[in-house]
Amino acid sequence: MPSAGTVQDQTNPKQSPPPAPSSLLLTRKAVQEAHELIKPFIHQTPVVTSSALSALASSSSFSSSTNTPASNTNGTSTTTPGKQRTGHSNNNATTTGHSSASPGPAATARAGPTGPKINLFFKCENYQKVGAFKYRGATHALARLSREELERGVVTHSSGNHAQALALAARTRNVPAHIVMPTISTPSKIAATQAYGANVIFSGSTSQEREAVVRTVMSDTGAVLIPPYDHEHIILGQGTMALELEAQVEELCQARPELDVHHGARRAPSPSSSPETSQRATAAAAIAGAGHLDAVIAPLGGGGMLSGIATALAPTSTLVFGAEPSFQGADDGRRSLLRQPPERIPTVSSLTIADGLRTPLSDLTFGVVSDADKVAGLHAVSERQIVEAMRLCVERLKLWIEPSAAVGLAVVLWDEEFRRGLLEREKAMREEWERERRKRKESGESLAPEEWAWEGWNIGVVLSGGNTTIEAVGKIFDSVKKEQEEEEEEEEEGGEERGDHNITRDMEETKEREEGVVGMNGERVAENVAG
C-alpha cells in the first residue's frame, strides 16, 4: 500500500524532496498538494465546448440523426426520442489545452416542454498520458513512496487503464513495475503495458487468481501494491482534474463570455440558509463571478475518480454527480444508495459495454460517494444510450472515447431523473430567495424591485478515457444498427431492452469483450477486472 513518504526527482538527486501530504484525510487542500506534485508529469487535458450539444442538453429530449430510441432499463424515468425538428446548427467548439474540436452536423431536437438551460464543458481525459485519467492517480501514488519503497518496486493487477498508467508512471521514475494481467487480456493492452517497460505476469481472470499472483510477487520482490482506486493517494491524484476543470471553465468564459450560461443575466441575491432548502441548493444560488462551474458529472466504477472530484469540490458550491451503466446491475452505486439504510453492494457481475465501470465501490470510495454533502446524486443509463453518447462525441465533438467515458453525457441528455432534479433545485432556490426577500421586507428594509434571475447550469462532463479500438467501436455501432432494423421490422414492445442484450452479445465476439469473462480453466464468468 502506498505510504506517506517522499521521492526525489530522478533527474536531480540533490533536489530537496517534496513535502509529505498534510494528512491522508481527503480534503481539497490535499488534492491541491497532489496537483502541485504531479504537474510536471501529467498533461493538463483540454476542455471542449459545443453549442450543438449544449442546445440538445437544454431541450426536453432529442434524437440523433439515426433516430435511435433510448431507454433506461433500471426503472428510472428516461425519455424516448421521437419526432425530430431542426435545432441549433452552430456547433463551433472551443477548447483550452492542446486540442480543438471541429464543427459538426446540425443538432436535431424534439419539440416539447423546456428543460433546464445547460451549457456543457467536456474535460478530455482521453488526451491524458496512456489515454485515460488513471495516470493521475498512479503518478501521485508513486510520488508519495519513500526511496526505499521505490527501490523495491511496485505491483498491481489490472487489464485496463491502471495497468498502463502504473507502468508508465514507474518507467518515468525508473522504478520496477510488476503488472499482473489475466491471460485473456486484449493483446493491444498487454503490448502497451509491456512497451512501457513493465514486467507483465499472467494470471487467471478471477479476483482470487489475480490476487494470489500479486501476493506471490510481493513476497518474492518486496514490491509495494498500488491499487487501482482503493487508496487515498489514488483518489487525491484523480481529483486533480477537477481543479483544472474549474480554472479552465473560468478561463474559457472570460475569453468567450457567450459560453457562460450566466453571462448577461442579472444575478439573484444570495439566499440565507434555510431548513427547507438543502445546503447544496442554497450554496448553488450563491455563485458569483464569470464561468462558475455549477455541476460536474463523471463516470462511476470503483469510485476513485468520482471520490477525488467530490473531495476537490466539496468546499465549493459545485454539485457533483456520478454516472453508471444500468445493464445487468452495473449501477451498484445507485442501487446501494437506494437501500434503507444505504449499504454498499460488494460485488458486480455485469458485461456492460462500459467495461471500465464493472467494478464495485470499495468501503473507502463508498464512504465518499454516499456522503450527500459531497455527491449530489448517482444516475444510470442503458447500453443504447451509452452508444448514442459515443456517437455524438465522435460526430459532433470529433473526440474518440471509450464506452465508459460516455455515461456522463448520456445521463445529462436522457436521464429525466437527473434533468428533473436540476429543475427542482432551481425551484427550491427560487423559493428560498423569495422567503429571504419577504423576511427582509417584513423587517422594514427597503427593497428595490427585482426578478428572480437563475440563468441555468454550467456543467462539466468528464470524458474519462479513449482506450478502445476501431474494430470494437465498429462492432458496437453495427450491433445497434442491426437491432434498429429488427425493431422496425417486428415493431414489438420490449425491443429496447432486447437491444441492450444484443449489443452485449455481439461485443462478446470481439477481444474487447473477452476481458473478465473466462476463468483460468475456461469457465465463463462475469468477473470484474479492476482498473
Side-chain angles (χ1 to χ4, degrees), residues 206-222:
T206 68
S207 58
Q208 293 85 355
E209 291 170 320
R210 299 192 308 268
E211 290 166 3
V213 176
V214 167
R215 286 192 295 270
T216 299
V217 172
M218 294 175 69
S219 176
D220 292 344
T221 67

Side-chain angles (χ1 to χ4, degrees), residues 273-395:
S273 59
S274 166
E276 291 85 7
T277 306
S278 71
Q279 179 182 355
R280 280 290 194 168
T282 301
I287 63 174
H292 179 268
L293 191 60
D294 300 304
V296 174
I297 186 164
L300 174 60
M305 175 172 56
L306 187 64
S307 295
I309 292 171
T311 297
L313 299 177
T316 74
S317 61
T318 302
L319 299 169
V320 176
F321 296 92
E324 299 177 284
S326 63
F327 185 68
Q328 294 181 338
D331 56 336
D332 58 292
R334 188 188 69 87
R335 292 184 296 113
S336 294
L337 296 186
L338 289 177
R339 291 183 170 186
Q340 296 298 328
E343 180 183 9
R344 182 178 73 92
I345 296 174
T347 60
V348 176
S349 294
S350 173
L351 292 176
T352 171
I353 59 172
D355 55 354
L357 308 181
R358 296 179 193 169
T359 309
L361 293 163
S362 68
D363 288 331
L364 175 61
T365 56
F366 180 70
V368 178
V369 170
S370 62
D371 185 343
D373 288 332
K374 293 182 177 179
V375 176
L378 303 180
H379 300 270
V381 287
S382 69
E383 304 288 272
R384 181 71 64 82
Q385 291 166 329
I386 294 171
V387 173
E388 287 305 301
M390 287 180 65
R391 184 190 301 277
L392 287 171
C393 283
V394 173
E395 294 181 350

Side-chain angles (χ1 to χ4, degrees), residues 71 73 327-328 351-353 382-384 387 472-490 492-510 513:
S71 66
T73 60
F327 185 68
Q328 294 181 338
L351 292 176
T352 171
I353 59 172
S382 69
E383 304 288 272
R384 181 71 64 82
V387 173
V473 173
K475 193 75 173 180
I476 292 175
F477 290 141
D478 285 346
S479 297
V480 171
K481 182 178 180 180
K482 181 171 63 176
E483 188 61 34
Q484 287 175 325
E485 293 172 350
E486 292 176 359
E487 289 170 358
E488 291 173 358
E489 291 176 0
E490 299 175 4
E492 292 180 350
E493 293 184 0
E496 294 165 12
E497 181 176 356
R498 185 184 69 249
D500 275 357
H501 285 276
N502 283 354
I503 293 169
T504 304
R505 178 202 64 202
D506 291 343
M507 282 302 299
E508 288 174 14
E509 298 174 3
T510 71
R513 303 293 290 123

Side-chain angles (χ1 to χ4, degrees), residues 28-237:
R28 180 179 173 91
K29 180 181 178 182
V31 177
Q32 291 169 332
E33 292 173 354
H35 196 217
E36 288 301 314
L37 199 54
I38 68 175
K39 269 183 181 179
F41 304 100
I42 64 172
H43 290 321
Q44 176 175 289
T45 53
V47 169
V48 175
T49 68
S50 167
S51 58
L53 292 188
S54 292
L56 296 179
S58 300
S59 64
S60 61
S61 62
F62 86 96
S63 157
S64 73
S65 59
T66 60
N67 199 26
T68 300
S71 66
N72 196 324
T73 60
N74 62 19
T76 59
S77 175
T78 303
T79 55
T80 300
K83 186 178 180 180
Q84 301 179 1
R85 66 175 174 83
T86 301
H88 291 261
S89 60
N90 178 12
N91 191 41
N92 294 328
T94 304
T95 68
T96 64
H98 61 265
S99 177
S100 62
S102 304
T108 57
R110 187 181 73 174
T114 302
K117 170 63 177 174
I118 295 173
N119 281 6
L120 298 175
F121 298 83
F122 297 91
K123 180 62 170 169
C124 300
E125 286 296 292
N126 53 319
Y127 288 141
Q128 188 53 261
K129 290 183 179 180
V130 309
F133 75 96
K134 292 280 188 177
Y135 188 70
R136 295 176 182 269
T139 300
H140 183 238
L142 283 181
R144 293 304 189 185
L145 293 181
S146 68
R147 180 176 288 103
E148 184 272 333
E149 288 172 319
L150 290 172
E151 290 174 352
R152 286 156 44 193
V154 294
V155 63
T156 197
H157 61 83
S158 168
S159 69
N161 294 330
H162 181 64
Q164 298 171 65
L166 184 60
L168 179 58
R171 188 183 73 177
T172 301
R173 294 181 177 272
N174 298 319
V175 174
H178 310 279
I179 311 296
V180 177
M181 303 185 75
T183 54
I184 56 172
S185 299
T186 56
S188 61
K189 292 184 178 180
I190 295 172
T193 305
Q194 291 173 326
Y196 291 132
N199 173 33
V200 174
I201 305 163
F202 295 104
S203 73
S205 67
T206 68
S207 58
Q208 293 85 355
E209 291 170 320
R210 299 192 308 268
E211 290 166 3
V213 176
V214 167
R215 286 192 295 270
T216 299
V217 172
M218 294 175 69
S219 176
D220 292 344
T221 67
V224 179
L225 176 64
I226 306 294
Y229 58 89
D230 192 24
H231 193 274
E232 289 87 346
H233 289 326
I234 298 291
I235 291 172
L236 294 174

